[in-house]
Amino acid sequence: MSFSLKNLHAHFVAEASPVDLRQVADEDALSEIRSALDEYAVLVFHEQPFSAQEQMAFAQRLDGELHTKTGISALQKNRFGTEAIADISNVDESGAIIAPDDRRRIYNLANRLWHTDASFQDPGGRYSMLSAKLIPPVAADTEFADMRAAYDALDDEMKARLEGLIVHHSIAYSREILGFEFSENESAALEGACHPLIRRLPHTGRKSLYVASHATKIIGWPIPEGRLLLRDLIEHATQRKFVYRHTWQVDDFVIWDNRATMHRGLAFDDTKYRRELRRVTTLDINVRWGSRTPRHF
Ligand code: OGA
Ligand code: MN
């Protein structure tokens, strides 16, 4: 055992004892982390002074290929020269705080809606790994919801109703909810992707609700009816009893399983305080399903 774990929530989330993940490279230790993710879905590591390169290298050791399409590159500043790093910050290339009316800010504000990373792609995101580099002096926390516990708590009638349903996800939808408008060029990249609403997770066999603010419709259902059900499920899954709130410290490194959780950033005065994190997400490459589904159903 290269580290021990302490539960931070009744259903999920564990905090690891001190370990330097930059040095963790042997298969035993890596598979320990994967098993811990199967069990807890969110792992919190402190004091991980990753460079961007080291963070990418660790993510590749842990889970293989990195996702490079977790957002729309034209709308995201990127100070790292690779699409494999998502620049989760409110500063521009020069390090200055982004202006209140800047499109990039409005685009990024959608991270405050409950979501799971890259559900609008196929493959979607499997593990996301967020490294905190600069944290404001005011609360600028991230919340996580356990979508397995949320599934378990549904009654049998609802579980039966959800079985087999397919959901279309699009990043355009979560942005449009907030009134963001895409240009025609941008829209070309916004086809979205379809995924099952209920997922059975490998290894544990547990089932999970796969919904997000990106979820636009349930295939084959009238759109309003599907949206109402999706809304009800997100509301159900984000009851306080299923939610953990993470208060960041510099060099915290949080890994979560996007198949088993949703998350959202909480509001803070982002026009006043700088906040800089870097995210790497791995490709959920075992799930190729749906990649050839036509856009319109
Ligand atoms: C992310 C994300 C929320 C936050 O990095 O994928 O949604 O609190 N972050 O920054
Ligand atoms: Mn996210």
Side-chain angles (χ1 to χ4, degrees):
M1 194 70 161
S2 47
F3 56 90
S4 59
L5 293 168
K6 186 180 109 189
N7 238 133
L8 294 182
H9 186 279
H11 293 301
F12 69 141
V13 192
E15 178 181 58
S17 60
V19 53
D20 184 348
L21 294 176
R22 294 173 306 176
Q23 312 295 332
V24 171
D26 63 291
E27 240 340 279
D28 285 353
L30 291 166
S31 72
E32 238 175 82
I33 297 174
R34 293 179 205 117
S35 304
L37 280 163
D38 286 336
E39 184 175 352
Y40 295 102
V42 180
L43 296 179
V44 175
F45 296 87
H46 301 292
E47 291 174 51
Q48 305 296 324
F50 280 117
S51 67
Q53 289 301 328
E54 287 166 339
Q55 185 179 350
M56 287 192 289
F58 172 76
Q60 284 166 323
R61 292 198 294 279
L62 185 68
D63 199 37
E65 219 178 316
L66 304 182
H67 214 305
T68 54
K69 297 188 174 65
T70 65
I72 299 172
S73 52
L75 284 166
Q76 285 168 314
K77 64 227 148 26
N78 194 317
R79 296 173 287 168
F80 305 101
T82 165
E83 309 254 317
I85 296 257
D87 186 352
I88 306 294
S89 76
N90 58 341
V91 301
D92 66 16
E93 295 78 356
S94 70
I97 291 183
I98 293 180
D101 57 352
D102 191 306
R103 280 188 95 221
R104 295 171 299 181
R105 171 168 181 264
I106 311 300
Y107 173 85
N108 282 322
L109 282 178
N111 271 347
R112 296 191 190 167
L113 301 173
W114 284 107
H115 66 281
T116 186
D117 291 334
S119 67
F120 46 86
Q121 300 285 8
D122 184 11
R126 184 155 45 214
Y127 301 142
S128 281
M129 308 177 206
L130 192 53
S131 166
K133 290 300 171 194
L134 199 150
I135 296 305
V138 293
D141 301 347
T142 305
E143 286 186 328
F144 296 89
D146 185 346
M147 305 307 282
R148 306 160 309 171
Y151 174 82
D152 292 345
L154 296 172
D155 62 33
D156 289 346
E157 197 185 325
M158 181 58 96
K159 285 178 181 164
R161 194 167 163 224
L162 301 181
E163 204 58 47
L165 295 180
I166 308 301
V167 176
H168 175 255
H169 298 246
S170 163
I171 195 171
Y173 185 60
S174 52
R175 270 60 190 168
E176 281 160 8
I177 289 171
L178 296 183
F180 183 87
E181 285 169 16
F182 290 95
S183 69
E184 257 176 46
N185 275 354
E186 289 160 357
S187 300
L190 302 176
E191 185 183 7
C194 289
H195 299 283
L197 175 51
I198 305 300
R199 301 183 65 155
R200 183 181 281 283
L201 300 165
H203 313 301
T204 62
R206 289 188 71 182
K207 287 185 176 178
S208 159
L209 272 175
Y210 194 67
V211 289
S213 58
H214 311 305
T216 68
K217 58 183 168 185
I218 297 176
I219 303 307
W221 284 34
I223 289 179
E225 195 181 356
R227 286 190 182 166
L228 283 168
L229 178 58
L230 293 165
R231 246 178 207 246
D232 283 351
L233 292 173
I234 290 175
E235 199 174 305
H236 162 77
T238 55
Q239 294 173 72
R240 295 319 300 175
K241 62 184 173 187
F242 302 129
V243 171
Y244 163 75
R245 176 173 177 156
H246 187 69
T247 297
W248 294 95
Q249 298 165 31
V250 169
D251 285 337
D252 273 0
F253 186 67
V254 176
I255 312 178
W256 64 87
D257 186 337
N258 284 296
R259 302 166 301 184
T261 56
M262 283 198 300
H263 60 280
R264 66 171 178 180
L266 294 181
F268 71 102
D269 191 347
D270 67 303
T271 60
K272 182 168 174 192
Y273 300 111
R274 288 168 49 164
R275 179 177 188 264
E276 299 185 42
L277 303 94
R278 299 172 191 164
R279 197 198 64 221
V280 168
T281 298
T282 58
L283 275 178
D284 192 17
I285 44 175
N286 296 334
V287 186
R288 287 275 177 201
W289 163 154
S291 52
R292 261 171 235 95
T293 1
R295 178 172 183 191
H296 299 292
F297 292 85

